[in-house]
Every structure is written in structure tokens, then in C-alpha cells.
Amino acid sequence: MVKILNTRQSDFKIKFDSLLKKREKDDENIDKIVSKIIHDVRKNSDNALLRLTNKLDKSNFKKIQDLTVKNSEFEKCFQDLSPGIKKSLNIAIKRIKSYHKKQMPKNNMYRDNEGVTLGGIWNPIESVGLYVPGGKAAYPSSLIMNAVPAIVAGVKRIVVTVPARNGETNPLVLACCKILGIKEVYKIGGAQAISALAMGTKSIRKVDKIFGPGNAYVASAKKQFFGTVGIDMIAGPSEVLIVADSRNNPDHIAIDLLAQAEHDELAQSILITDDKKFSEKVIKSINNFLKKLERRTIARSSWNNFGAVIICDNLYKSAELINDIAPEHLEIAVEKPKRFLKKIKNAGAIFLGRFTPEAIGDYVAGPNHVLPTDRTARFSSGLNLLDYFKRSSVVECNKKNLSRIGKDAINLAYEEGLQAHALSIECRITK
């Protein structure tokens, strides 16, 4: 049953804290299974990949080459696409590419007051691996969101892994790869795919950084490879927080809440409103929609177990609640939504107004839909172009300005007991 909270209730703080508890428990059994998979791939390379793929994805590939997507497969999937879907994919890619191009970093070089040249230069990561889920659903939109910034950044090698259930890879994902110009794609999923990307095998070269969401096994593998290879983030169950007044159409708010709930049984949808009667209309509308949705079993489980309605006296004073929740997605469906922006410190993505549903951000708006979940928006941001770059700092001294600033460095080096550090500067500035 959906939770109803009211800020006036004496036990509101207790109920609110309970609402924010992590929805997905860390499973030591999963970590142990993943650790064995990693060891297997490390020891047996391609043989392990082939065996694990056939076993876990119920496939029947005969040789390791069968795991590589062929050009003919890309072409067939692309040709089978309807003109309408091709058009929609191209528009989405165009809009997302345009947005990310505006995030391009610039090299910065200058001379300080002592004449020392300082600055930084940016270089794209040379190779990235993109994991595309293929379990309960396949998401070409996820591929686009991870691949487009890599393309804009100028990453030389982009590798995609996507599970092949019963030997079949989602054709829409392969067609999308064709449109994006990605040619290195493997039919592998789960922890074994992350292992191949992180360590490499005889047939798959390792990458420098891994991107993309996955199930608990994928998340565990990413955690275990942290430090060995770059990791984008550990994605948890999705979530939305909607702040709405009674002037909204309750059907609009209801379907926005369910749009998040249909992702996963562990997804969370929360409504904050200042009108109890409006909240009742929204809940009634949700119950009506749940009779019609194809993924109603998933959505109902999510809404009943993790959904919530919070009733407060003043929506404009709810910023503290918003910042505590630190939602992945935040919809502000009120008369003057921009009034909230100065007060909101923790949110992955913010959607302003009554006609900006979060779903538009999942596909064509422009900003990346890969966002921090499980309240991690308190200290992290959504995926952006800089995640595909490395920054190198630059320093250039001559004898004159090294003499000016070097004495203080020498003093500090001796104080730390690092004599060679001090002498490496001292020998250049003393006769």
C-alpha cells in the first residue's frame, strides 16, 4: 500500500527517514558469484566467455567468433527499422549531440605574477566500453546516452556489449549502433561482459573506462573492478519526485509517477503536494492506469512497496525535503517553477513546469538521462561530456621564476624530510 505522509504528523520524521532507506540490499552472495566469474574470465579468457554466455543467457554459440556482431547483422537490423523509428532515433541523436557539444572543455594556459606558465589540457579517453542492458527490456536510449558523448568527445575506440537472450540480440540496439557508427559490438552480458571489458581476453581488448547500467551482477562487477578500470557510476533503482499543486491535471501527475514505477519493482515514485484532495485524485488515477498498463505488475509492485505521497502546508518551503530526498529526477509542476531553483541543491535532473514530463528527458530533450540514484545526487552529477575526458595540468618554469618560488618549496621539502625533493630544486637555482 502506498505510504501517505503529512509534515504535520508528530511521527513524520520517523516515517520520512524510513522512506529514504536504501531499496536494494548489498548481497554478499552476488559478490561471491561475481568474484568467481571474474576469476574464470581471468584464467580461461575466451573459453570462459563462451561458456558463461551460453549458460547464463541460454544461448548456443559454437565458437568465440559467434559473440562478435557481424556487419551483415547491423545492416539487416537497420533495414528492418520502420522509417518512423529511424527518424525518431536520428532526431534524438541530433538533439543529444547538440547539447553535449556545448559542454566541450577548453585548454587553459596562462602566466601567473611570477611568470610561471600554468594551465591544463584536456584529452579524450582513448577507449570506452558501453554496457547496454538486455534483461527485462532493451534500451537503445541508454546506448544513445552513453555513446553520443563518447563520439562528441572524440573517443577513438567505442566498444558495446549487449546480452543475447536465447542467442538473439535486440535488433533495435544493433540498428542504433549502425546509425551511431559503432562497429565493435559483442553479444555478451552480465559480470562476464564487465570482466572482458576491464581485463581483456584473447579476442577482446580491454578498455580504459566502462559506462552503462545493468543488474545487480553488473553493479557488483563494476564495484570489484573499481581502480583497475574507470567506472562511470554504480546505478541503483530509478526514482522520481514530483512537486505538484492542485492546478495540475491529476492524470498527468499519476502517469508521470507510473512512468518511473514501470521501470523496475524497486523503482520509487514520490509526490509532494499541498492539497490532500488533489493527492486522492492522483492515487485514484494511478489505480485506474494500473488496470491498463502492459507493465502493470511491475508498476503496481513499485508503487505499493516504495511509492509515497507527502502532504505539506507550503510547496515553496518543501526544498528541505527535496534536498534530503536528493532525487534522480525532479519534476516541479507549479505556477512559477523557477522560484525553486535557487533552493534546490540535490537533484540529478530538474524538469520545470506542467508540460515537462521526466519522460521527455529519457529520449529527446538533450541532457543525459544517466543520473545519480539512491540519494547520491548529494555528491555526484549526471553523465556529461567531461566523463569522457582526462585533464592534465601543465607547469613551465625558467631559472628566474624557479628561483622566486623554489625557496619555499625547498623549505617545505626539508620540513617533510624529503631531501631529494629539495635538492632537485636547489641544484637548479644555486651556484
Side-chain angles (χ1 to χ4, degrees):
M1 195 68 173
V2 66
K3 301 174 185 67
I4 310 291
L5 287 73
N6 192 313
T7 55
R8 289 186 175 184
Q9 294 170 334
S10 59
D11 60 349
F12 172 77
K13 185 69 168 61
I14 296 172
K15 290 182 178 179
F16 183 70
D17 289 344
S18 176
L19 185 69
L20 301 185
K21 286 183 179 178
K22 192 173 183 181
R23 284 160 281 148
E24 191 173 37
K25 294 180 180 179
D26 293 324
D27 193 326
E28 292 183 4
N29 289 329
I30 289 178
D31 291 339
K32 288 178 182 178
I33 292 170
V34 169
S35 182
K36 288 180 180 178
I37 291 173
I38 292 171
H39 176 75
D40 193 2
V41 175
R42 180 182 285 115
K43 182 180 178 182
N44 299 304
S45 192
D46 288 343
N47 291 333
L49 273 189
L50 186 60
R51 176 168 29 81
L52 289 165
T53 297
N54 284 335
K55 177 184 177 182
L56 300 175
D57 291 335
K58 297 179 175 60
S59 300
N60 190 30
F61 296 116
K62 302 300 182 185
K63 54 186 185 298
I64 193 66
Q65 290 81 358
D66 294 339
L67 299 183
T68 302
V69 178
K70 300 176 180 63
N71 288 334
S72 58
E73 294 179 81
F74 289 125
E75 189 61 36
K76 183 181 185 307
C77 292
F78 176 74
Q79 294 301 333
D80 288 346
L81 274 188
S82 69
I85 293 297
K86 285 180 184 176
K87 179 183 176 183
S88 296
L89 285 172
N90 278 303
I91 288 174
I93 291 167
K94 181 180 178 181
R95 289 187 59 84
I96 294 159
K97 190 174 286 187
S98 175
Y99 179 87
H100 285 81
K101 279 182 177 179
K102 291 178 173 59
Q103 298 176 338
M104 188 67 74
K106 295 180 180 179
N107 294 341
N108 178 30
M109 303 290 285
Y110 68 97
R111 284 188 178 181
D112 68 10
N113 293 334
E114 304 297 339
V116 178
T117 298
L118 301 171
I121 58 173
W122 296 89
N123 285 295
I125 295 170
E126 292 184 32
S127 63
V128 300
L130 311 181
Y131 185 92
V132 180
K136 293 178 181 176
Y139 298 110
S141 59
S142 178
L143 169 63
I144 292 171
M145 290 293 180
N146 283 280
V148 166
I151 294 166
V152 172
V155 175
K156 289 183 179 179
R157 178 174 170 245
I158 301 172
V159 186
V160 168
T161 64
V162 56
R165 302 299 180 192
N166 300 309
E168 296 294 325
T169 307
N170 184 273
L172 191 53
V173 170
L174 296 189
C176 197
C177 285
K178 168 78 174 176
I179 295 170
L180 291 164
I182 298 172
K183 299 177 181 179
E184 189 176 353
V185 182
Y186 300 101
K187 304 173 185 178
I188 52 176
Q192 61 271 24
I194 302 300
S195 299
L197 293 172
M199 299 184 295
T201 69
K202 289 179 181 179
S203 62
I204 301 175
R205 287 183 293 139
K206 67 180 181 179
V207 300
D208 297 316
K209 190 171 182 179
I210 298 172
F211 296 81
N215 61 19
Y217 295 90
V218 170
S220 176
K222 289 171 80 172
K223 288 177 186 176
Q224 293 187 45
F225 278 116
F226 185 84
T228 300
V229 66
I231 299 296
D232 58 343
M233 64 178 72
I234 309 299
S238 194
E239 62 216 22
V240 68
L241 170 61
I242 301 178
V243 179
D245 59 29
S246 59
R247 294 185 181 182
N248 283 277
N249 183 327
D251 286 347
H252 293 177
I253 303 305
I255 201 62
D256 287 359
L257 292 164
L258 288 177
Q260 212 61 38
E262 73 174 351
H263 267 296
D264 190 291
E265 290 91 344
L266 293 171
Q268 185 168 55
S269 304
I270 300 174
L271 169 65
I272 295 180
T273 184
D274 57 354
D275 191 307
K276 186 174 183 293
K277 289 184 178 179
F278 175 73
S279 73
E280 291 169 352
K281 291 178 182 177
V282 171
I283 293 172
K284 182 179 179 181
S285 180
I286 285 174
N287 291 331
N288 290 333
F289 277 123
L290 281 173
K291 299 172 185 176
K292 308 171 187 176
L293 291 179
E294 289 185 9
R295 292 169 66 90
R296 54 184 172 272
T297 302
I298 293 172
R300 182 178 287 110
S301 177
S302 165
W303 177 243
N304 287 340
N305 292 325
F306 301 107
V309 173
I310 301 174
I311 300 168
C312 64
D313 292 331
N314 188 328
L315 288 182
Y316 288 103
K317 292 182 180 179
S318 65
E320 186 176 341
L321 296 177
I322 296 170
N323 288 325
D324 283 342
I325 295 170
E328 177 188 11
H329 307 101
L330 172 64
E331 287 187 24
I332 306 177
V334 298
E335 194 66 32
K336 297 179 180 179
K338 290 181 181 178
R339 285 179 59 186
F340 278 79
L341 286 180
K342 289 183 179 180
K343 293 184 176 182
I344 296 167
K345 308 301 179 186
N346 305 328
I350 304 170
F351 302 85
L352 299 176
R354 308 190 200 283
F355 292 92
T356 317
E358 179 277 324
I360 199 68
D362 282 341
Y363 298 105
V364 298
N368 212 288
H369 81 195
V370 181
L371 300 165
T373 60
D374 267 339
R375 304 183 69 204
T376 56
R378 291 172 293 123
F379 52 80
S380 60
S381 309
L383 195 66
N384 64 81
L385 198 67
L386 296 186
D387 290 308
Y388 295 80
F389 278 90
K390 308 157 295 177
R391 184 176 182 274
S392 301
S393 58
V394 177
V395 181
E396 183 185 22
C397 298
N398 56 35
K399 187 172 183 179
K400 184 177 181 180
N401 52 46
L402 181 62
S403 298
R404 289 178 180 172
I405 68 173
K407 293 175 183 178
D408 292 315
I410 292 167
N411 288 340
L412 293 172
Y414 276 127
E415 190 65 25
E416 291 185 346
L418 300 175
Q419 185 182 16
H421 279 64
L423 290 175
S424 75
I425 302 168
E426 204 167 21
C427 70
R428 286 173 167 81
I429 63 177
T430 58
K431 295 181 181 180

